[in-house]
Amino acid sequence: MRSPRRCSRNGCPRQAVATLTYVYNESTAVVGPLAAFAEPHTYDLCEQHARSLTAPRGWDVVRHEGEFEPPPPTTDDLVALAEAVREAARPVQRAEEIDVDLPGGHQTGRRGHLRVIPPAH
């Protein structure tokens, strides 16, 4: 399952709810709702950092005026979670329980990382 995206600010452990993009040729920083996918040259921000962002002198900040909300879980997340639960519930056959019958009535077995090999005739 994908982990939620975190704020790009150093040391901030909060979940991202906004995306910061710079438009260099217009000297503008744009803070909007969280983008669907993490893109290069954009920054994910938590609500506190999205609301308190300032731009360098001479730059404008265009900020989303609505509420910043975390994205809802996607169907990919739900499918991955269901598969992880199914995998965890599946019984595991231990290596010590695996035996293979060989011709001549001999058996090989595994115990941990060792293998029993029958004598050669």
Side-chain angles (χ1 to χ4, degrees):
M1 185 170 80
R2 242 178 329 156
S3 61
R5 286 160 45 192
R6 298 282 173 211
C7 183
S8 297
R9 296 289 300 259
N10 286 338
C12 183
R14 291 185 287 271
Q15 182 177 4
V17 295
T19 297
L20 167 65
T21 306
Y22 291 107
V23 182
Y24 290 98
N25 62 348
E26 296 180 18
S27 300
T28 304
V30 180
V31 180
L34 187 63
F37 301 100
E39 301 276 337
H41 310 294
T42 64
Y43 302 90
D44 294 336
L45 299 174
C46 65
E47 185 167 4
Q48 177 185 353
H49 288 122
R51 298 246 181 251
S52 65
L53 178 89
T54 59
R57 188 176 302 150
W59 281 59
D60 295 320
V61 176
V62 176
R63 196 181 319 269
H64 174 71
E65 294 299 324
E67 292 295 317
F68 291 114
E69 296 182 14
T74 65
T75 56
D76 292 344
D77 292 338
L78 297 176
V79 169
L81 178 60
E83 288 174 0
V85 169
R86 272 189 229 113
E87 183 68 27
R90 191 173 296 148
V92 177
Q93 185 177 16
R94 295 176 40 172
E96 295 102 24
E97 299 170 357
I98 300 172
D99 285 329
V100 178
D101 288 329
L102 294 176
H106 296 288
Q107 288 187 335
T108 63
R110 270 186 89 84
R111 185 169 181 92
H113 65 284
L114 303 176
R115 182 186 316 245
V116 177
I117 300 175
H121 294 320

